[in-house]
Amino acid sequence: MFSISNISYCYQKDNVLKDVSFELKKGDYCAIIGPNGSGKTTLLHILSGALKKQEGEVYILGKKIENYDVRALAKQISVVPQRSEPVYHFSVFDMVMFGRHPYQTRWNTYNPDDEEIVVDALKKTNLLSLKDRMTSQLSGGEFQRTLIARAIAQQAPLMLLDEPLANLDIPHQFEILEILSELNHAKQTTILMVIHDVALAMQAIPKSLLLKNGRVTYMGDTQDICRKNLIFNLFDLDESFEVDAWGNVRRNYRK
Protein backbone atom coordinates (compact mmCIF):
# COMPACT_ATOMS: atom_id res chain seq x y z
CA MET A 1 0.00 0.00 0.00
CA PHE A 2 2.99 2.27 0.47
CA SER A 3 5.98 2.35 -1.84
CA ILE A 4 9.04 4.61 -1.66
CA SER A 5 11.40 4.57 -4.60
CA ASN A 6 14.84 6.25 -4.81
CA ILE A 7 14.05 9.17 -2.50
CA SER A 8 16.88 11.67 -2.04
CA TYR A 9 16.85 15.00 -0.24
CA CYS A 10 19.40 17.74 0.43
CA TYR A 11 19.43 20.66 2.86
CA GLN A 12 21.60 23.19 1.05
CA LYS A 13 24.61 20.99 0.19
CA ASP A 14 24.06 18.31 2.81
CA ASN A 15 22.66 15.02 1.53
CA VAL A 16 20.17 14.00 4.22
CA LEU A 17 18.55 11.13 2.32
CA LYS A 18 20.25 9.16 -0.42
CA ASP A 19 18.38 6.81 -2.75
CA VAL A 20 15.96 5.51 -0.10
CA SER A 21 13.63 2.73 -1.26
CA PHE A 22 11.29 0.38 0.63
CA GLU A 23 7.71 -0.87 0.71
CA LEU A 24 5.08 -1.33 3.40
CA LYS A 25 2.14 -3.69 3.08
CA LYS A 26 -1.24 -3.31 4.77
CA GLY A 27 -0.92 -4.19 8.43
CA ASP A 28 2.87 -3.78 8.63
CA TYR A 29 4.25 -2.41 11.90
CA CYS A 30 7.72 -1.02 11.29
CA ALA A 31 10.28 0.92 13.33
CA ILE A 32 12.73 3.41 11.86
CA ILE A 33 15.99 3.20 13.79
CA GLY A 34 19.20 5.11 13.25
CA PRO A 35 21.75 7.51 14.73
CA ASN A 36 20.99 11.20 15.22
CA GLY A 37 21.15 13.01 11.89
CA SER A 38 20.50 9.89 9.82
CA GLY A 39 17.43 11.41 8.12
CA LYS A 40 14.61 9.74 10.08
CA THR A 41 12.46 12.84 10.65
CA THR A 42 13.12 14.16 7.14
CA LEU A 43 11.93 10.84 5.74
CA LEU A 44 8.70 11.01 7.74
CA HIS A 45 8.09 14.59 6.59
CA ILE A 46 8.43 13.50 2.96
CA LEU A 47 6.18 10.47 3.44
CA SER A 48 3.49 12.62 5.09
CA GLY A 49 3.59 15.23 2.33
CA ALA A 50 4.79 17.96 4.72
CA LEU A 51 8.08 18.17 2.80
CA LYS A 52 8.30 17.94 -0.98
CA LYS A 53 10.71 15.29 -2.18
CA GLN A 54 13.53 16.38 -4.50
CA GLU A 55 14.16 13.04 -6.19
CA GLY A 56 12.32 9.74 -6.36
CA GLU A 57 8.68 8.75 -5.97
CA VAL A 58 6.25 8.08 -3.12
CA TYR A 59 3.20 5.95 -3.93
CA ILE A 60 0.15 5.44 -1.74
CA LEU A 61 -2.15 2.67 -2.96
CA GLY A 62 -0.43 2.90 -6.34
CA LYS A 63 -1.00 6.66 -6.67
CA LYS A 64 1.75 9.29 -6.50
CA ILE A 65 1.61 11.36 -3.34
CA GLU A 66 1.57 14.65 -5.27
CA ASN A 67 -1.67 13.55 -6.97
CA TYR A 68 -3.53 13.66 -3.64
CA ASP A 69 -5.02 16.92 -2.46
CA VAL A 70 -4.63 17.81 1.21
CA ARG A 71 -7.97 16.40 2.31
CA ALA A 72 -7.58 13.16 0.36
CA LEU A 73 -4.04 12.68 1.71
CA ALA A 74 -5.26 13.19 5.28
CA LYS A 75 -7.70 10.31 4.74
CA GLN A 76 -4.74 8.06 3.91
CA ILE A 77 -2.06 9.21 6.37
CA SER A 78 -2.23 10.36 9.98
CA VAL A 79 0.78 11.87 11.70
CA VAL A 80 1.90 11.98 15.32
CA PRO A 81 4.70 14.59 15.38
CA GLN A 82 7.63 14.80 17.75
CA ARG A 83 6.42 15.61 21.22
CA SER A 84 5.90 19.31 21.87
CA GLU A 85 4.77 21.08 24.98
CA PRO A 86 0.98 20.86 25.46
CA VAL A 87 0.31 24.58 25.32
CA TYR A 88 -2.72 24.53 23.03
CA HIS A 89 -5.88 26.07 24.47
CA PHE A 90 -8.22 23.26 23.47
CA SER A 91 -9.94 20.56 25.41
CA VAL A 92 -8.79 16.99 24.92
CA PHE A 93 -12.08 16.26 23.15
CA ASP A 94 -11.64 19.17 20.72
CA MET A 95 -8.01 18.24 20.02
CA VAL A 96 -9.01 14.68 19.13
CA MET A 97 -11.94 15.97 17.03
CA PHE A 98 -9.37 17.70 14.78
CA GLY A 99 -8.72 14.22 13.43
CA ARG A 100 -12.18 14.28 11.87
CA HIS A 101 -11.57 17.45 9.84
CA PRO A 102 -10.76 15.60 6.57
CA TYR A 103 -14.33 14.27 6.61
CA GLN A 104 -16.06 17.56 7.38
CA THR A 105 -16.94 20.46 5.12
CA ARG A 106 -16.11 24.09 5.76
CA TRP A 107 -19.65 24.86 6.83
CA ASN A 108 -20.62 21.98 9.10
CA THR A 109 -19.56 20.98 12.59
CA TYR A 110 -19.06 17.43 13.74
CA ASN A 111 -21.98 15.03 13.55
CA PRO A 112 -22.99 12.12 15.82
CA ASP A 113 -20.82 9.71 13.82
CA ASP A 114 -17.77 11.94 14.34
CA GLU A 115 -18.53 12.15 18.06
CA GLU A 116 -18.83 8.37 18.33
CA ILE A 117 -15.47 7.91 16.57
CA VAL A 118 -13.78 10.46 18.85
CA VAL A 119 -15.21 8.87 22.00
CA ASP A 120 -13.96 5.47 20.79
CA ALA A 121 -10.46 6.94 20.22
CA LEU A 122 -10.54 8.44 23.72
CA LYS A 123 -11.48 5.06 25.18
CA LYS A 124 -8.69 3.30 23.28
CA THR A 125 -6.14 5.75 24.69
CA ASN A 126 -7.61 5.82 28.23
CA LEU A 127 -8.51 9.51 27.94
CA LEU A 128 -12.28 9.55 28.20
CA SER A 129 -12.21 10.77 31.81
CA LEU A 130 -10.00 13.68 30.69
CA LYS A 131 -12.03 14.73 27.65
CA ASP A 132 -12.96 18.13 29.11
CA ARG A 133 -9.50 18.95 30.46
CA MET A 134 -7.44 21.57 28.64
CA THR A 135 -4.41 20.16 26.84
CA SER A 136 -2.21 22.74 28.58
CA GLN A 137 -3.05 20.97 31.85
CA LEU A 138 -1.97 17.49 30.72
CA SER A 139 1.11 15.56 31.72
CA GLY A 140 3.58 14.55 29.01
CA GLY A 141 2.14 11.04 28.76
CA GLU A 142 -1.44 12.31 28.64
CA PHE A 143 -0.63 14.79 25.92
CA GLN A 144 1.17 12.14 23.87
CA ARG A 145 -1.88 9.89 24.15
CA THR A 146 -4.04 12.82 23.00
CA LEU A 147 -1.97 13.18 19.83
CA ILE A 148 -2.29 9.45 19.19
CA ALA A 149 -6.05 9.58 19.85
CA ARG A 150 -6.32 12.37 17.27
CA ALA A 151 -4.53 10.15 14.74
CA ILE A 152 -6.78 7.19 15.61
CA ALA A 153 -9.89 9.35 15.10
CA GLN A 154 -8.56 10.27 11.66
CA GLN A 155 -9.05 6.62 10.64
CA ALA A 156 -6.27 6.70 8.06
CA PRO A 157 -4.86 3.31 7.01
CA LEU A 158 -1.27 4.53 7.55
CA MET A 159 0.03 6.16 10.75
CA LEU A 160 3.42 7.90 10.95
CA LEU A 161 4.88 8.60 14.39
CA ASP A 162 8.05 10.58 15.12
CA GLU A 163 9.60 9.51 18.43
CA PRO A 164 6.31 9.14 20.34
CA LEU A 165 8.16 7.62 23.32
CA ALA A 166 10.67 10.45 23.74
CA ASN A 167 10.74 12.01 27.22
CA LEU A 168 8.21 9.53 28.61
CA ASP A 169 8.89 7.37 31.64
CA ILE A 170 8.95 3.58 31.32
CA PRO A 171 5.27 2.87 32.23
CA HIS A 172 4.06 5.47 29.73
CA GLN A 173 6.36 4.11 27.01
CA PHE A 174 4.79 0.66 27.37
CA GLU A 175 1.32 2.20 27.53
CA ILE A 176 1.87 3.87 24.15
CA LEU A 177 3.32 0.68 22.65
CA GLU A 178 0.32 -1.35 23.85
CA ILE A 179 -2.11 1.16 22.31
CA LEU A 180 -0.28 1.03 18.97
CA SER A 181 -0.02 -2.76 18.99
CA GLU A 182 -3.75 -3.09 19.62
CA LEU A 183 -4.50 -0.62 16.81
CA ASN A 184 -2.24 -2.54 14.44
CA HIS A 185 -3.84 -5.89 15.27
CA ALA A 186 -7.48 -4.81 15.55
CA LYS A 187 -7.66 -2.38 12.63
CA GLN A 188 -4.73 -3.59 10.50
CA THR A 189 -3.44 -0.01 10.59
CA THR A 190 -0.03 0.20 8.97
CA ILE A 191 2.36 1.90 11.39
CA LEU A 192 5.77 3.44 10.71
CA MET A 193 7.44 4.83 13.81
CA VAL A 194 10.76 6.47 14.60
CA ILE A 195 12.19 4.99 17.80
CA HIS A 196 15.61 5.22 19.43
CA ASP A 197 15.38 2.37 21.92
CA VAL A 198 16.37 -0.83 20.11
CA ALA A 199 15.37 -2.97 23.11
CA LEU A 200 11.81 -1.58 23.04
CA ALA A 201 11.62 -2.12 19.28
CA MET A 202 12.77 -5.72 19.78
CA GLN A 203 9.92 -6.31 22.23
CA ALA A 204 7.08 -4.61 20.43
CA ILE A 205 7.70 -3.91 16.73
CA PRO A 206 7.96 -6.79 14.22
CA LYS A 207 9.79 -5.01 11.39
CA SER A 208 12.55 -2.42 11.32
CA LEU A 209 14.12 -0.09 8.79
CA LEU A 210 17.67 0.96 9.65
CA LEU A 211 18.92 4.33 8.42
CA LYS A 212 22.54 5.43 8.49
CA ASN A 213 23.92 8.53 6.80
CA GLY A 214 20.65 8.90 4.90
CA ARG A 215 20.72 5.39 3.42
CA VAL A 216 18.71 2.27 4.17
CA THR A 217 21.13 -0.35 5.53
CA TYR A 218 18.50 -2.96 6.44
CA MET A 219 14.76 -3.61 6.17
CA GLY A 220 13.28 -6.72 7.75
CA ASP A 221 12.72 -8.67 10.96
CA THR A 222 13.54 -6.56 14.03
CA GLN A 223 14.99 -9.62 15.78
CA ASP A 224 17.75 -9.78 13.15
CA ILE A 225 19.17 -6.46 14.37
CA CYS A 226 20.81 -8.37 17.21
CA ARG A 227 21.01 -11.82 15.64
CA LYS A 228 23.10 -10.41 12.81
CA ASN A 229 24.94 -7.82 14.94
CA LEU A 230 23.56 -5.04 12.72
CA ILE A 231 23.48 -2.64 15.65
CA PHE A 232 27.28 -2.47 15.80
CA ASN A 233 27.59 -1.09 12.28
CA LEU A 234 24.52 1.11 12.62
CA PHE A 235 25.87 3.02 15.62
CA ASP A 236 29.60 2.50 14.97
CA LEU A 237 30.06 0.55 18.19
CA ASP A 238 33.53 -0.83 18.87
CA GLU A 239 34.58 -3.94 20.82
CA SER A 240 34.11 -2.15 24.15
CA PHE A 241 30.33 -2.41 23.68
CA GLU A 242 28.20 -5.48 24.27
CA VAL A 243 24.66 -6.13 23.00
CA ASP A 244 22.51 -8.86 24.49
CA ALA A 245 19.83 -10.86 22.69
CA TRP A 246 17.13 -8.39 23.78
CA GLY A 247 18.82 -5.34 22.25
CA ASN A 248 20.22 -3.87 25.44
CA VAL A 249 23.55 -2.14 24.91
CA ARG A 250 26.16 -1.70 27.61
CA ARG A 251 29.76 -0.63 27.64
CA ASN A 252 32.43 -2.76 29.22
CA TYR A 253 34.95 -0.26 30.56
CA ARG A 254 37.43 -3.02 31.36
CA LYS A 255 38.13 -3.66 27.70
Side-chain angles (χ1 to χ4, degrees):
M1 66 172 296
F2 199 62
S3 177
I4 294 87
S5 178
N6 307 114
I7 291 294
S8 295
Y9 194 87
C10 295
Y11 287 115
Q12 297 179 346
K13 295 182 180 180
D14 295 328
N15 291 317
V16 181
L17 296 174
K18 307 168 188 176
D19 200 29
V20 172
S21 298
F22 65 94
E23 292 184 352
L24 293 176
K25 297 179 180 178
K26 180 178 175 60
D28 277 347
Y29 187 4
C30 183
I32 302 178
I33 304 172
N36 292 336
S38 58
K40 302 184 295 296
T41 295
T42 299
L43 178 59
L44 281 196
H45 285 170
I46 289 173
L47 302 186
S48 70
L51 191 63
K52 290 186 178 180
K53 58 186 175 52
Q54 295 171 338
E55 295 181 24
E57 299 294 347
V58 176
Y59 292 91
I60 304 169
L61 297 175
K63 182 178 177 180
K64 290 183 179 181
I65 191 170
E66 57 265 30
N67 292 336
Y68 285 87
D69 62 31
V70 173
R71 186 180 295 271
L73 187 61
K75 292 179 181 179
Q76 299 297 330
I77 300 176
S78 61
V79 178
V80 178
Q82 283 188 0
R83 181 178 176 270
S84 57
E85 292 303 315
V87 296
Y88 308 108
H89 296 291
F90 300 105
S91 70
V92 169
F93 181 89
D94 288 340
M95 176 67 84
V96 177
M97 183 59 75
F98 288 145
R100 301 303 302 159
H101 279 192
Y103 306 93
Q104 299 166 354
T105 68
R106 184 181 302 176
W107 295 277
N108 74 343
T109 57
Y110 61 84
N111 58 41
D113 288 339
D114 292 325
E115 185 170 3
E116 182 178 348
I117 290 167
V118 167
V119 168
D120 182 63
L122 291 169
K123 289 179 179 178
K124 283 183 168 64
T125 51
N126 301 314
L127 287 170
L128 189 59
S129 63
L130 302 179
K131 66 183 181 67
D132 296 320
R133 185 175 296 183
M134 303 303 289
T135 53
S136 57
Q137 299 172 331
L138 299 177
S139 69
E142 291 165 346
F143 185 67
Q144 192 65 46
R145 279 186 282 140
T146 301
L147 296 179
I148 292 173
R150 181 180 65 183
I152 292 173
Q154 200 168 324
Q155 293 189 324
L158 175 66
M159 183 182 291
L160 306 177
L161 303 100
D162 195 357
E163 299 186 48
L165 309 182
N167 302 313
L168 298 183
D169 59 24
I170 292 173
H172 285 112
Q173 288 179 347
F174 280 101
E175 182 179 41
I176 296 300
L177 288 172
E178 288 168 4
I179 290 169
L180 294 175
S181 180
E182 175 62 24
L183 180 67
N184 174 250
H185 284 101
K187 299 292 186 181
Q188 283 291 288
T189 300
T190 303
I191 298 175
L192 184 61
M193 180 173 76
V194 173
I195 184 172
H196 279 291
D197 193 321
V198 176
L200 282 177
M202 291 275 291
Q203 293 180 62
I205 306 176
K207 298 181 69 173
S208 286
L209 182 149
L210 306 187
L211 270 183
K212 182 178 182 180
N213 298 324
R215 295 184 183 276
V216 175
T217 62
Y218 172 79
M219 174 74 167
D221 189 340
T222 302
Q223 301 302 314
D224 281 343
I225 296 175
C226 290
R227 282 199 295 252
K228 297 181 179 180
N229 291 325
L230 300 174
I231 192 171
F232 282 88
N233 176 65
L234 182 66
F235 292 103
D236 293 323
L237 303 180
D238 59 28
E239 64 277 4
S240 68
F241 289 90
E242 296 178 356
V243 182
D244 65 24
W246 297 276
N248 297 298
V249 180
R250 72 182 184 91
R251 189 162 193 167
N252 189 339
Y253 291 97
R254 297 177 182 177
K255 292 187 176 182

